[in-house]
Amino acid sequence: MGATLKEILIHQDGHFGPYGGRYVPEILVPIMDDLRDAFFTAIQDDQFVEELKYLHKHYTGRPTPLYYCENLTRRLGGAQVYMKNEGLLHTGAHKINHCLGQALIAKKMGKTRVIAETGAGQHGLATATVCAKFGLECIVYMGAKDYRRQRPNVFWMEQLGATVIPVAEGGQTLRDAINAALRDLISNPSNTHYLLGTVCGPNPYPAMNTYFQKVIGEETREQMIDQTGGLPDHMIACVGGGSNALGFFYDFLDDPNVKLTGVEAGGKGVDGVEHAARFEGGKVGVVEGFKSYFLQNEEGQLADTHSISAGLDYAGVGPQISYLKDDGRVRFTYAKDDDVLKAYQILAKTEGVFAALESSHAVAEVIKLTPTLDKTKTVVFNCSGRGDKDLFIVTKEMQDEKFSEYLRDQVRDV
Ligand SMILES: *Cc1c(COP(=O)(O)O)cnc(C)c1O
């Protein structure tokens, strides 16, 4: 018998078929080896596993609910719709799962300083949160452009005690922040942990973050059996780097009757360049330390991307996601900004839940797929985060005049 998909996707060597690996400067190799060894040792240690469980229960708020969306189901008139609600976690999204796990590993390794990269600021916020909790010094690199346009998250990170450093190089966005973080790690290898925010990057990050996220699917399995007597027929998640999707799907990878769908950011349409759907025109390449699909321009540089949701607005995707794409185990599709905004509103009005714009990509696919399925079938989607963080984007997209007036009044008062 060959290895199962679950065995292939969490593995010490970090190669997933042709994808993954560790393409880093020589000087980082021993650092990544130490991290890999510390991680794979920790997860064999009952005390570590128990501590993580305890913190999830009492600090982050696990298990998160699996909720039958009765009103949405009635409205769509097809399969029964369920929502796994990661938006109810502390800090409002699944990102806390791998931040908490990595902070525990950093502590175990005797690290005193944590660095992170962030684009929109959500990963920086979750990192600053766990650093505050564990008394770790926290430095967050942010492209200077992101630093200016994501002021609320910069403010919250600073309130949590983090130092946020704007990076005034290149396009002044996420990839410049990643480069700055890697340079920092090279200069401070002994006391610093680089807390990477999704299932991307060099080995061991993809395997490690998948491990810390797979709790989502493990809970979902138990809750589905408890509530419906069986496994779901369809599971749907949005895909940025791929961490919430992998965490949601992982426990079901070796159950062929459960159909899995990943939803990328279709932006303004995949015919043009204003999207972030890597499987719609992306090419295989090696960028930022790993091999995977990337949207690239003619020179082979990472392309500029667009999505209504900051968390999906990235040119790369995790290597295990690329493996699952080629393997065919997961079907990939995309949702366009317009449909995402509609999905956001439909879920709010039918179930009283604001999903993050990222998660609303999954909701858009639920709305499309569910009416085509029989009433005896079940569909479960991952609500990776809650939507209150998207206030400024949503009010702008909906051209809410009263809200603009409010903002102008606020500015006058400053
Ligand atoms: C960051 C983020 C994502 C995208 O990241 P993945 O690694 O693909 O999960 C999705 N949803 C929310 C709410 C996020 O904050």
Side-chain angles (χ1 to χ4, degrees):
M1 263 229 347
T4 65
L5 274 173
K6 283 165 85 166
E7 287 163 353
I8 291 167
L9 297 189
I10 297 182
H11 199 273
Q12 304 234 12
D13 77 11
H15 289 282
F16 316 104
Y19 305 113
R22 188 197 270 164
Y23 300 84
V24 295
E26 205 59 40
I27 188 165
L28 284 179
V29 170
I31 301 173
M32 295 295 140
D33 277 343
D34 285 350
L35 179 60
R36 179 200 58 201
D37 295 347
F39 165 68
F40 280 99
T41 306
I43 62 176
Q44 299 300 328
D45 173 359
D46 290 344
Q47 208 182 325
F48 177 85
V49 174
E50 282 309 313
E51 188 178 4
L52 185 61
K53 230 188 231 168
Y54 177 91
L55 287 164
H56 269 321
K57 180 161 179 212
H58 298 285
Y59 186 65
T60 53
R62 304 212 71 95
T64 58
L66 177 80
Y67 167 68
Y68 173 51
C69 300
E70 190 181 352
N71 301 328
L72 184 62
T73 298
R74 197 178 316 117
R75 176 176 169 137
L76 297 175
Q80 310 298 308
V81 180
Y82 289 78
M83 168 173 67
K84 177 65 171 165
N85 197 351
E86 292 290 291
L88 288 178
L89 283 177
H90 181 47
T91 71
H94 71 290
K95 286 192 171 73
I96 195 78
N97 295 331
H98 56 232
C99 286
L100 180 65
Q102 285 192 49
L104 286 180
I105 297 285
K107 250 186 25 156
K108 234 179 147 49
M109 295 177 79
K111 307 283 184 182
T112 55
R113 187 172 174 272
V114 165
I115 60 171
E117 83 297 340
T118 197
Q122 292 305 120
H123 171 58
L125 205 54
T127 302
T129 299
V130 295
C131 287
K133 163 145 185 63
F134 293 111
L136 295 159
E137 185 189 352
C138 181
I139 287 107
V140 179
Y141 290 98
M142 221 170 162
K145 197 164 141 190
D146 291 335
Y147 180 85
R148 282 194 300 276
R149 63 183 173 182
Q150 305 290 349
R151 194 67 219 169
N153 280 336
V154 174
F155 176 80
W156 288 129
M157 284 184 263
E158 288 172 350
Q159 289 300 304
L160 289 162
T163 305
V164 186
I165 302 180
V167 181
E169 281 157 25
Q172 309 193 345
T173 60
L174 181 60
R175 59 192 105 126
D176 310 294
I178 293 172
N179 289 333
L182 285 170
R183 277 199 305 272
D184 181 315
L185 186 62
I186 288 169
S187 315
N188 303 286
S190 60
N191 67 345
T192 298
H193 172 65
Y194 179 10
L195 205 162
L196 201 145
T198 184
V199 287
C200 291
N203 184 40
Y205 288 102
M208 180 164 65
N209 283 347
T210 300
Y211 175 88
F212 288 130
Q213 291 293 348
K214 73 183 171 64
V215 64
I216 306 173
E218 288 165 355
E219 287 175 7
T220 302
R221 170 182 289 266
E222 211 171 284
Q223 291 165 321
M224 277 305 285
I225 291 173
D226 189 40
Q227 293 181 35
T228 72
L231 300 184
D233 296 296
H234 289 266
M235 298 179 76
I236 301 174
C238 68
V239 183
S243 68
N244 89 87
L246 259 184
F248 188 48
F249 296 156
Y250 185 81
D251 207 48
F252 298 86
L253 287 171
D254 298 317
D255 296 292
N257 292 334
V258 181
K259 296 195 174 64
L260 310 174
T261 301
V263 188
E264 295 188 282
K268 295 182 179 162
V270 298
D271 300 336
V273 294
E274 287 185 87
H275 67 84
R278 287 66 44 107
F279 297 135
E280 303 290 332
K283 288 196 282 282
V284 175
V286 174
V287 185
E288 288 155 8
F290 66 106
K291 190 170 187 179
S292 195
Y293 278 85
F294 295 89
L295 285 166
Q296 304 170 32
N297 62 22
E298 277 124 46
E299 289 95 53
Q301 301 284 82
L302 284 191
D304 287 323
T305 52
H306 163 83
S307 168
I308 191 172
S309 67
L312 305 188
D313 196 356
Y314 175 54
V317 68
Q320 296 137 307
I321 297 284
S322 290
Y323 183 90
L324 292 169
K325 157 79 178 166
D326 287 3
D327 179 77
R329 178 65 187 92
V330 179
R331 173 181 77 99
F332 289 91
T333 183
Y334 59 87
K336 293 202 257 185
D337 289 353
D338 291 350
D339 293 326
V340 169
L341 203 57
K342 273 186 216 139
Y344 180 89
Q345 291 168 296
I346 289 172
L347 190 68
K349 294 231 161 69
T350 54
E351 299 294 347
V353 174
F354 292 120
L357 286 173
E358 291 83 359
S359 324
S360 297
H361 284 70
V363 180
E365 179 59 20
V366 168
I367 290 170
K368 208 162 137 190
L369 178 72
T370 304
T372 70
L373 301 171
D374 193 84
K375 284 189 163 55
T376 58
K377 302 286 182 190
T378 53
V379 172
V380 52
F381 72 95
N382 192 30
C383 183
S384 52
R386 61 177 174 242
D388 41 356
K389 72 177 175 62
D390 297 317
L391 176 69
F392 290 97
I393 302 171
V394 174
T395 50
K396 199 167 159 190
E397 289 288 331
M398 289 168 60
Q399 303 181 352
D400 187 313
E401 222 1 84
K402 287 270 162 25
F403 195 81
S404 307
E405 210 177 292
Y406 162 79
L407 288 180
R408 282 192 292 272
D409 286 349
Q410 293 297 309
V411 171
R412 228 171 283 133
D413 291 349
V414 174

